[in-house]
Amino acid sequence: MGPTTLIDGGDGTEDGERGTVIRRTKEWRRRWHGRSRLQRIDLYQRATLETMPWFFLLTWGITPLLADLRHDPLPWTLGGLFTLVCAAQCAYLHRNLRPAHRSYLGQGTFPTGRLAVPGVLLATGLGLLVALAATHGIDGGGLAMFALDLPIAFVTPYVLLVPVRTFLLHGLAYAAVGAGLFAAAGVRGGTLAGAAGAGLFSALLMLLAVRPSAWSLSVMWQAEEARDLQARLAVAEERLRFGRDMHDVLGRNLAVIALKSELAVELARRGKPSAVDQMVEVQRIAQASQQEVRDVVRGYREADLRAELHGAQAVLVAAGIDCSIEGDRASDRLTGAAGSALGWVVREATTNVLRHGDPRHCVIRLTADGGSVRLVVENDGAPDAGPSSGGSGLPGLRERLAALDGSLEAGPAGDGFFRLTATVPATSPAGRAPGPVPGRSPEHVEELVPELVEER
């Protein structure tokens, strides 16, 4: 018998179903933690709007059905049909709310044909309510509560599709039509005013509840898009700057290499041994260019520790995370290379805090201990598995610190905390500047032109 036999039968089936539920739960948690904060807010808002009509149906819609309905077959039939119509409206809301939400945020267009079915359901529910009033199947209080519940599922997406003034005019028209129908059914006095005003009150309630929340979410999405655009512009500007630096470093050197190579070819064709001297010069200039490129890249990747500390605090506070910095004056004891390495540690740690888990507090602590400086970044939002070990961020930092005789440790610290600790010697030597390369300087490229013309 193989191991699969254990899952057959009654108990095995239950174990399989339990395993399926566990897998689905883990998958849901993975998708939830994979969302950004703004995506979580968006999902929470839409879920709230989708469940709100069901809540009102179970309160304003069910209570009169049980307490205020006359116990006769006809009122019970009309009341049951009315409840089914309201439930159908709530079910149809799930189909319309997402496109209405996207239309309000400017992310898509709402198909107007989707309002036909909700409109028919709303008119059917109003007709059933008028029939209940005409047959005296419900008293005044129950009629008003039914009237309150009826338009909510229709109004929830509709308020996002039309301007506020248009929505108010349509709400007044609905209240006027309802008042006329109830009056024709024999409803009078306060009962008529309550039943007619209930629909308008529901419309105003949804206007005040749905529209501001969608507007605030729209502002947050616009701010997020502006930050993304700003980041892309910053990257483009940095690429241009780096390109200018590379051009300044290599432009003349490559021109010298091209001229000397052409000169060496002409000399070689004429059988002159001085062609070898020219290629030696090309080799020397190429080596000098390699060192200059390394210097440009090294300078491009430098990070200022103090600037990174304050930048990390600003980013985390803007993300809603309480961040405090302790002992930042210890950075004064660091040399340039060690300070730059810890600056990159701060940047990577800040990225991990924002990307992994859902922290509320973060502490960045810098301490000087003898001849070394220790950086500790601790937050209370450690996920189940911590930052992925397959990424290149932490291994790259370990390599950078190892070159300075430093170390890096990262992992859960207990009680839901995650701690990253980096240590470097305070007197780590900075990178040495490249020495001069013998040979003709690229600044004297003009001297090669007459020589090349003469050889030609």
Side-chain angles (χ1 to χ4, degrees), residues 115-451:
L115 291 176
V117 173
V120 171
L121 292 174
L122 179 63
T124 303
L126 183 59
L128 292 171
L129 201 56
V130 171
L132 268 175
T135 58
H136 303 287
I138 193 169
D139 61 19
L143 183 65
M145 292 188 69
F146 271 157
L148 277 172
D149 179 61
L150 175 61
I152 287 179
F154 177 86
V155 166
T156 300
Y158 187 69
V159 72
L160 300 174
L161 300 174
V162 297
V164 175
R165 179 178 298 180
T166 303
F167 179 81
L168 291 175
L169 291 176
H170 291 175
L172 289 173
Y174 172 79
V177 171
L181 293 176
F182 285 126
V187 180
R188 298 290 184 269
T191 303
L192 176 62
L200 182 60
F201 176 80
S202 295
L204 294 176
L205 179 63
M206 291 297 101
L207 175 64
L208 296 177
V210 176
R211 191 88 178 195
S213 61
W215 174 80
S216 62
L217 188 62
S218 173
V219 172
M220 286 189 287
W221 275 116
Q222 291 175 4
E224 182 75 9
E225 292 173 357
R227 283 193 293 267
D228 290 343
L229 179 60
Q230 185 178 9
R232 288 194 296 269
L233 291 176
V235 170
E237 183 178 356
E238 187 63 16
R239 286 176 177 171
L240 291 175
R241 186 199 68 79
F242 186 72
R244 288 194 298 267
D245 291 348
M246 293 296 294
H247 178 271
D248 294 341
V249 168
L250 294 180
R252 292 183 180 180
N253 293 25
L254 292 177
V256 172
I257 290 174
L259 289 174
K260 279 188 171 291
S261 300
E262 189 176 353
L263 178 59
V265 169
E266 293 292 336
L267 293 173
R269 286 175 178 174
R270 299 182 184 185
K272 294 186 178 182
S274 57
V276 177
D277 297 333
Q278 296 298 328
M279 291 309 300
V280 171
E281 289 291 323
V282 169
Q283 182 183 16
R284 291 173 177 173
I285 295 172
Q287 292 173 348
S289 300
Q290 286 180 331
Q291 184 60 51
E292 289 175 353
V293 169
R294 294 191 189 100
D295 295 339
V296 170
V297 174
R298 186 182 298 114
Y300 174 72
R301 299 189 67 179
E302 286 181 352
D304 181 73
L305 176 57
R306 189 176 292 273
E308 291 296 334
L309 287 171
H310 293 288
Q313 185 179 36
V315 169
L316 293 176
V317 170
I321 303 172
D322 182 27
C323 178
S324 61
I325 299 176
E326 301 175 3
D328 60 333
R329 292 190 176 275
S331 61
D332 297 336
R333 300 185 54 180
L334 293 170
T335 58
S340 176
L342 288 186
W344 281 101
V345 172
V346 172
R347 181 175 295 187
E348 179 67 17
T350 304
T351 302
N352 287 338
V353 170
L354 294 173
R355 184 180 297 168
H356 303 287
D358 192 13
R360 294 185 178 180
H361 305 281
C362 179
V363 177
I364 303 176
R365 189 179 302 109
L366 199 64
T367 57
D369 183 13
S372 63
V373 175
R374 176 175 298 177
L375 173 71
V376 177
V377 181
E378 188 176 82
N379 68 90
D380 61 354
D384 295 336
S388 174
S389 59
S392 60
L394 295 183
L397 291 177
R398 288 191 177 95
E399 295 175 1
R400 184 186 294 271
L401 294 176
L404 303 174
D405 297 329
S407 62
L408 178 70
E409 297 178 357
D415 297 331
F417 281 81
F418 188 89
R419 182 182 299 134
L420 183 147
T421 304
T423 306
V424 293
T427 57
S428 297
R432 291 178 296 178
V437 178
R440 185 171 294 177
S441 171
E443 281 75 12
H444 302 102
V445 65
E446 294 84 358
E447 299 177 3
L448 296 175
V449 179
E451 186 178 357

Side-chain angles (χ1 to χ4, degrees), residues 104-120:
Y104 181 84
L105 296 177
Q107 301 174 353
T109 303
F110 183 85
T112 54
R114 288 193 175 186
L115 291 176
V117 173
V120 171

Side-chain angles (χ1 to χ4, degrees), residues 49-94:
L49 294 180
E50 288 178 353
T51 56
M52 189 184 303
W54 289 104
F55 171 78
F56 288 124
L57 175 62
L58 295 176
T59 54
W60 295 348
I62 299 298
T63 301
L65 188 67
L66 301 177
D68 301 319
L69 204 64
R70 184 160 54 87
H71 296 277
D72 288 331
L74 181 58
W76 272 106
T77 302
L78 294 175
L81 291 174
F82 177 83
T83 303
L84 291 176
V85 167
C86 291
Q89 284 186 293
C90 294
Y92 211 88
L93 172 67
H94 294 270

